[in-house]
């Protein structure tokens, strides 16, 4: 007989990153070595892995140490990343997913309920201003403002300046350049001004900013992709006042699961400094 699902709560140690996904091309390794000054291949690998792990550990630290931490997963689909963060210790009742109406299917898939996973969900199109409007980044004067009741949310707009950590993976590349910038500005407006607050994720990147053609299982798609340099410049200087955030962006081509071609991915994080 199948067991009833138990309430999700943090009880595991953070799993290490999968080193098998680390696979730099010679030209990418040369690029990183030039910018970091790290010539040894093993030391460079460790440095890159450490930076990626540091971003996620920062999310979990915010969950432990902030007075009212909030974790938002934009484009959450079934809520996989929310469940992972909860298992690693982020308070479930302080997590929010936003997507089209897929959340209940996540409960069916993972055999969870609102009682066993007391996370929150805002359903709708994130480009609808009633769901998420563009707002300027919060100032330090907004630190410590009261947070809304998450149980009653029907929009992300009441969260302006209140969100400790925002996750956005496999999301931005779904949209054209102008919509990517609009979403970046909207998410920046949600982020808390508390130093250490973070936005992080991964998406289809490029060595050179522009429209690229990607093929997957015989389907070709033209999409706008940022390079590490253009992604950093957009967040630090165009969206946030220059010097108020630290942006880490690493472009890598990884082996595509079940395929014979490598896939270009930009791993990134944006951390508030002041």
């Amino acid at each position: 007989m199948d067991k009833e699902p138990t309430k999700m709560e943090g009880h595991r140690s953070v799993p290490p990153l999968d080193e098998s996904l680390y696979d730099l091309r010679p030209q990418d390794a040369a690029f990183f070595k030039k910018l970091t000054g790290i010539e040894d291949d093993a030391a460079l690998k460790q440095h890159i892995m450490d930076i990626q792990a540091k971003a996620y550990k920062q999310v979990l630290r915010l969950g432990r140490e902030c007075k009212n931490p909030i974790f938002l997963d934009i484009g959450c689909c079934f809520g996989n990343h929310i469940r992972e963060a909860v298992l690693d210790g982020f308070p479930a009742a302080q997590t929010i997913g936003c997507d089209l109406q897929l959340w209940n299917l996540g409960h069916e898939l993972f055999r969870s309920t609102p009682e066993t996973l007391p996370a929150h969900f805002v359903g709708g199109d994130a480009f609808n201003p009633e769901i998420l409007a563009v707002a300027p980044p919060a100032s330090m004067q907004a630190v410590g403002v009261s947070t809304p009741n998450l149980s009653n949310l029907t929009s992300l707009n009441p969260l302006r300046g209140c969100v400790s950590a925002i996750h956005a993976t496999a999301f931005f590349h779904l949209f054209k350049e102008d919509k990517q910038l609009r979403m970046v500005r909207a998410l920046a407006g949600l982020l808390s001004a508390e130093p250490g607050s973070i936005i992080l994720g991964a998406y289809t990147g490029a060595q050179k900013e522009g429209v690229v053609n990607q093929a997957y299982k015989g389907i070709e798609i033209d999409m706008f992709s940022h390079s590490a340099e253009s992604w950093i410049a957009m967040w630090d200087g165009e969206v946030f006042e220059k010097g108020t955030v630290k942006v880490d962006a690493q472009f890598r081509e990884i082996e595509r699961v079940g395929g014979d071609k490598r896939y270009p991915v930009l791993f990134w994080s944006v951390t508030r400094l002041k």
Side-chain angles (χ1 to χ4, degrees):
M1 181 179 295
D2 292 340
K3 295 180 179 179
E4 288 296 317
T6 58
K7 185 172 182 178
M8 289 188 65
E9 55 186 8
H11 64 272
R12 69 174 187 173
S13 59
V14 180
L17 295 177
D18 186 351
E19 294 191 16
S20 68
L21 297 178
Y22 180 90
D23 189 15
L24 289 185
R25 300 181 306 169
Q27 56 266 45
D28 294 330
F31 172 76
F32 278 107
K33 288 177 179 179
K34 181 178 179 180
L35 293 186
T36 64
I38 301 173
E39 293 295 332
D40 180 74
D41 288 329
L44 178 64
K45 176 181 178 179
Q46 189 61 52
H47 173 72
I48 292 175
M49 299 288 286
D50 287 346
I51 293 299
Q52 283 186 243
K54 183 178 180 180
Y56 184 56
K57 288 179 179 178
Q58 172 68 2
V59 172
L60 301 181
R61 186 190 69 78
L62 291 168
R64 292 192 307 269
E65 299 179 6
C66 286
K67 182 179 179 181
N68 292 301
I70 296 176
F71 174 82
L72 169 66
D73 187 14
I74 189 81
C76 66
C77 194
F78 299 136
N80 301 34
H81 294 291
I82 286 176
R83 287 172 167 80
E84 182 177 12
V86 170
L87 282 176
D88 290 335
F90 206 98
Q94 297 299 116
T95 62
I96 306 166
C98 181
D99 208 320
L100 301 177
Q101 301 297 332
L102 297 172
W103 184 254
N104 287 336
L105 288 177
H107 279 310
E108 290 185 31
L109 176 63
F110 293 102
R111 301 187 65 203
S112 58
T113 67
E115 289 71 39
T116 61
L117 179 68
H120 309 283
F121 178 70
V122 174
D125 181 358
F127 287 97
N128 179 348
E130 293 185 0
I131 299 294
L132 178 58
V134 173
S139 67
M140 287 300 295
Q141 285 71 32
V143 171
V145 297
S146 60
T147 57
N149 184 340
L150 303 186
S151 299
N152 299 326
L153 283 181
T154 58
S155 165
L156 298 179
N157 291 326
L159 298 175
R160 289 175 187 163
C162 295
V163 183
S164 311
I166 301 173
H167 176 260
T169 283
F171 179 69
F172 283 104
H173 60 239
L174 301 175
F175 314 109
K176 294 183 178 180
E177 180 181 8
D178 59 337
K179 282 199 166 186
Q180 289 189 31
L181 179 58
R182 182 199 179 282
M183 184 55 59
V184 165
R185 292 189 184 280
L187 294 180
L190 296 180
L191 192 67
S192 168
E194 183 74 34
S197 300
I198 190 170
I199 309 177
L200 75 164
Y203 95 122
T204 302
Q207 288 186 314
K208 184 177 180 181
E209 170 194 14
V211 177
V212 296
N213 180 270
Q214 294 291 340
Y216 184 65
K217 293 187 176 181
I219 300 176
E220 292 193 4
I221 302 174
D222 288 330
M223 61 180 69
F224 180 84
S225 296
H226 276 279
S227 66
E229 295 84 357
S230 66
W231 190 250
I232 291 171
M234 178 181 62
W235 286 98
D236 185 17
E238 185 174 357
V239 174
F240 287 97
E241 183 180 347
K242 192 166 183 62
T244 60
V245 293
K246 177 184 178 183
V247 186
D248 289 309
Q250 301 169 6
F251 174 81
R252 303 217 306 271
E253 289 192 337
I254 63 174
E255 293 293 338
R256 178 181 283 157
V257 176
D260 58 356
K261 292 185 178 181
R262 299 164 68 88
Y263 195 80
V265 178
L266 195 66
F267 297 91
W268 58 275
S269 64
V270 180
T271 306
R272 283 293 305 243
L273 300 177
K274 57 183 178 178

